[in-house]
Amino acid sequence: QVQLVESGGGLVQAGESLTLSCVASERILTFDAMGWYRQAPGRQRELVATINRFGGTNYADSVKGRFTVSRVNARNTVYLQMNSLKPEDTADYYCNAVGLGENYWGKGTLVRVSS
């Protein structure tokens, strides 16, 4: 069973930065793509950023220019660098991996941005 473990969430002020990490129990190049989603209270889960096995990336319009998704294959880890955080970025952030015929999710890490 694939496990994804997120870390790095916390409480920050608007304009500050955070880096989220997601460590996978499998070699991340096993997956077709990995990424980050978020879910704010009362809202649906939405895509934040993804990175495929070839290194191609995709971002939600709301985070383009502020967030960067990256990976270190040797560490089986995917990162989400979040700069210029806004109160509307407040949400539970979930790591996702697609591959091996399945869609895997971590348990999430909370990011709270105060104004």
Side-chain angles (χ1 to χ4, degrees):
Q1 179 70 20
V2 173
Q3 293 186 348
L4 304 173
V5 180
E6 304 100 331
S7 62
L11 173 63
V12 297
Q13 293 188 332
E16 294 184 338
S17 298
L18 275 177
T19 299
L20 305 183
S21 301
C22 171
V23 180
S25 59
E26 301 282 340
R27 293 175 62 247
I28 59 176
L29 288 180
T30 299
F31 303 112
D32 298 321
M34 294 188 69
W36 294 92
Y37 289 70
R38 67 187 180 187
Q39 187 167 17
R43 302 190 66 175
Q44 290 188 331
R45 191 172 295 188
E46 63 178 4
L47 179 146
V48 177
T50 61
I51 182 166
N52 65 32
R53 66 171 58 190
F54 305 109
T57 57
N58 182 48
Y59 296 92
D61 288 343
S62 59
V63 306
K64 283 181 181 177
R66 299 189 298 123
F67 290 12
T68 302
V69 61
S70 63
R71 68 185 185 209
V72 176
N73 298 334
R75 297 177 181 173
N76 292 328
T77 302
V78 175
Y79 301 95
L80 184 68
Q81 173 68 43
M82 305 185 293
N83 298 327
S84 303
L85 281 161
K86 304 175 181 180
E88 51 264 43
D89 294 317
T90 294
D92 286 305
Y93 284 70
Y94 296 90
C95 182
N96 172 261
V98 179
L100 306 174
E102 298 284 346
N103 194 11
Y104 302 97
W105 294 95
K107 293 183 179 180
T109 185
L110 175 62
V111 172
R112 183 175 294 176
V113 184
S114 63
S115 57

